[in-house]
Amino acid sequence: MLMEQVVQRANMLAAHRRVLQNRGAAGVDGMAVHDLWTWCQQHWSRVREQLLDGTYRPQPVRRVEIPKPTGGTRQLGIPTVLDRLIQQALLQVLTPIFDPTFSVWSFGFRPGRSCHDAVRAARTHMAAGHRWVVDMDLEKFFDRVNHDVLMSRVARQVQDHRVLTLIRRYLRAGVLEGGVVSPRREGTPQGGPLSPLLSNILLDGLDRELEQRGHRFVRYADDCNIYVRSRRAGERVLDSLERFLRCRLRLRVNRDKSAVDHPWRRSFLGYSVTTHYEPRLKVSPQSVKRLKQKLKPLLRAGRGRQLRHVCATLAPLLRGWTAYYRLAEVKIAFERLDQWLRRKLRALLWRVWRRPWTRAKQLIARGIEHARAWVSATNGRGAWWNAKASHMNQAIPTRALRDLGLLSLLDEHRRLACLH
């Protein structure tokens, strides 16, 4: 039976290793990840017995709000460490059952598949002549999942009633907020290991419908793009899919965020494309804007610190961002970000120098002629203007910033492109 596979020692040990790797915050019981092993040594036999006889009941999840990259907040439900362990064990047993049945055009939260695979697939559809995209946004997807519809789809391949009951209990586990536990009637809380698989099981119904209609599409979690040859076809597809999702999956399309447009006017997983018949991938303007928003607090916190320390703080974020966008074939975003970063650091120095006498002294020490240094130091302009002026570019050249540890996004992108 399936539940026996879930609680098998080897499976539970693998689940425990994964929970330790993922770390994460404590749930409503306050137990930390590193305390789980000691707790299980004393209590696991009782929990295992409850799982096998179908009487185990999950604890409520702790609600946490995190900011979205596009604005607003996303609500997460943080299960207890024990429930994360059990969900991970369930995931390891259910994934080999469900994953082989999913569509080849589904990429989110699947072993051996990534965002980059989804982006490449999208470019393939565009290159084949499908120059219009139905960019479909599901309204509050994780909060609107219908439990009955989802469980009916899980039950098609899972016969063990204990597993089905446990999954439903996880879906219905209350949410603790402000000391009060609220019951959950719909939705699958983001934050647990099982939630991504459940979302794929439900949205596989959308994938099958699109395949049956012969559409070209790419789906990553609840982010779905359908590629067509004309605006009229796209509008027709969007209208019919809205009816299908409402009637069959009990989901709603967010019309304000959904659109039928050319792919180069939209973004998919942070990427956009050029207008060429053989489209070239590029970083979307929204992604550049979000990176700047992340960097600005780090740069503000660097006032009064040595530039070497500021550059060391920025490096991990810049390196990770460039690694994600290594597929980009258009380099202009990396070049402009490099210029923006250098200007930001020069502006930081100008503010640190603060007084005209100090500014003149620092410029002279860096090779600026005496009279010119005093004119520049007393020009009355702000730090941002001076950071682009010739005196600061000459006093603090790009080479000097590189020596201090500033990572060049363009050079890092070229290095990663050579590796891949």
Side-chain angles (χ1 to χ4, degrees):
M1 297 292 282
L2 210 57
M3 185 57 83
E4 279 72 16
Q5 296 179 39
V6 171
V7 299
Q8 190 179 36
R9 179 177 174 82
N11 187 55
M12 294 306 304
L13 289 173
H16 181 261
R17 286 194 296 271
R18 190 58 186 267
V19 170
L20 285 179
Q21 289 173 359
N22 293 339
R23 300 180 183 177
V28 296
D29 61 355
M31 187 194 301
V33 171
H34 59 265
D35 295 327
L36 179 60
W37 181 263
T38 303
W39 189 92
C40 286
Q41 286 180 319
Q42 300 175 13
H43 304 284
W44 176 248
S45 59
R46 173 177 55 82
V47 175
R48 183 178 185 277
E49 185 178 337
Q50 291 175 349
L51 289 170
L52 289 173
D53 62 23
T55 60
Y56 178 80
R57 292 190 175 276
Q59 295 188 63
V61 298
R62 182 168 63 88
R63 176 166 288 174
V64 176
E65 292 188 351
I66 61 171
K68 288 183 178 180
T70 54
T73 59
R74 175 181 288 114
Q75 292 186 350
L76 297 184
I78 307 299
T80 64
V81 177
L82 175 62
D83 283 323
R84 295 212 292 273
L85 175 70
I86 297 170
Q87 285 193 37
Q88 181 63 37
L90 274 170
L91 177 68
Q92 291 167 182
V93 171
L94 293 177
T95 296
I97 296 173
F98 285 97
D99 192 77
T101 69
F102 291 153
S103 169
V104 295
W105 302 112
S106 166
F107 294 90
F109 309 118
R110 296 185 60 188
R113 289 169 171 253
S114 67
C115 294
H116 290 161
D117 295 325
V119 170
R120 291 189 188 100
R123 180 177 56 182
T124 300
H125 294 326
M126 296 176 224
H130 294 72
R131 311 281 284 175
W132 290 86
V133 61
V134 181
D135 188 352
M136 190 169 62
D137 183 86
L138 298 177
E139 186 177 288
K140 296 181 178 179
F141 168 70
F142 286 95
D143 296 329
R144 294 280 170 82
V145 169
N146 184 283
H147 293 172
D148 292 333
V149 174
L150 173 57
M151 290 308 302
S152 69
R153 292 180 174 273
V154 175
R156 291 176 185 177
Q157 298 190 63
V158 174
Q159 282 73 47
D160 192 328
H161 72 277
R162 298 168 298 178
V163 173
L164 295 173
T165 300
L166 182 59
I167 293 174
R168 185 177 282 276
R169 284 174 180 168
Y170 274 121
L171 291 172
R172 295 254 173 141
V175 178
L176 179 66
E177 188 175 22
V180 178
V181 177
S182 304
R184 178 181 288 274
R185 300 301 178 194
E186 63 177 2
T188 170
Q190 293 175 268
L194 200 55
S195 183
L197 176 63
L198 295 179
S199 68
N200 273 335
I201 291 172
L202 181 62
L203 289 176
D204 188 59
L206 171 62
D207 298 343
R208 296 307 172 193
E209 179 69 15
L210 291 169
E211 288 179 340
Q212 188 175 347
R213 297 182 186 187
H215 289 310
R216 288 176 174 260
F217 71 97
V218 177
R219 184 177 65 78
Y220 191 93
D222 59 332
D223 196 349
C224 185
N225 279 7
I226 304 103
Y227 296 89
V228 294
R229 293 185 180 273
S230 68
R231 176 183 286 277
R232 186 176 179 182
E235 291 171 348
R236 186 170 60 247
V237 167
L238 183 57
D239 289 338
S240 63
L241 286 178
E242 185 176 18
R243 290 192 297 272
F244 170 81
L245 288 165
R246 183 177 64 250
C247 299
R248 297 287 296 278
L249 300 183
R250 302 292 191 269
L251 296 172
R252 301 179 195 172
V253 173
N254 188 334
R255 278 286 187 167
D256 293 334
K257 294 184 178 179
S258 301
V260 178
D261 208 341
H262 289 297
W264 49 87
R265 293 177 183 160
R266 309 293 294 181
S267 67
F268 180 57
L269 301 177
Y271 282 85
S272 188
V273 293
T274 63
T275 60
H276 300 92
Y277 282 105
E278 286 290 334
R280 301 170 66 200
L281 294 172
K282 64 179 185 178
V283 182
S284 73
Q286 299 94 319
S287 300
V288 174
K289 183 179 179 181
R290 286 197 293 269
L291 177 63
K292 288 182 177 181
Q293 289 172 344
K294 286 183 179 179
L295 291 173
K296 283 177 181 178
L298 298 177
L299 290 164
R300 280 195 297 270
R303 295 176 186 176
R305 299 172 60 195
Q306 292 184 355
L307 276 191
R308 189 178 300 278
H309 293 153
V310 178
C311 294
T313 302
L314 299 178
L317 179 58
L318 298 178
R319 194 170 283 112
W321 191 87
T322 311
Y324 180 79
Y325 289 103
R326 66 175 182 268
L327 296 185
E329 298 157 291
V330 179
K331 310 294 193 302
I332 188 66
F334 302 96
E335 294 173 0
R336 288 177 177 171
L337 278 169
D338 276 340
Q339 294 170 0
W340 180 83
L341 270 171
R342 292 194 293 267
R343 189 175 178 184
K344 274 287 186 182
L345 291 174
R346 290 179 182 124
L348 188 64
L349 268 182
W350 192 259
R351 290 190 181 96
V352 168
W353 294 342
R354 197 172 178 182
R355 299 179 185 277
W357 186 88
T358 307
R359 289 169 177 170
K361 179 182 175 182
Q362 292 290 345
L363 290 173
I364 293 169
R366 287 166 170 78
I368 305 298
E369 191 268 331
H370 188 277
R372 183 185 171 204
W374 274 103
V375 170
S376 302
T378 57
N379 61 27
R381 301 274 191 169
W384 188 241
W385 185 91
N386 277 282
K388 195 178 181 181
S390 60
H391 55 269
M392 280 300 283
N393 279 270
Q394 183 180 336
I396 314 293
T398 300
R399 181 186 66 258
L401 293 174
R402 297 279 179 83
D403 291 342
L404 290 170
L406 178 63
L407 182 74
S408 167
L409 292 162
L410 184 60
D411 290 348
E412 181 70 7
H413 179 267
R414 286 170 177 161
R415 185 184 70 81
L416 292 172
C418 290
L419 291 176
H420 293 85

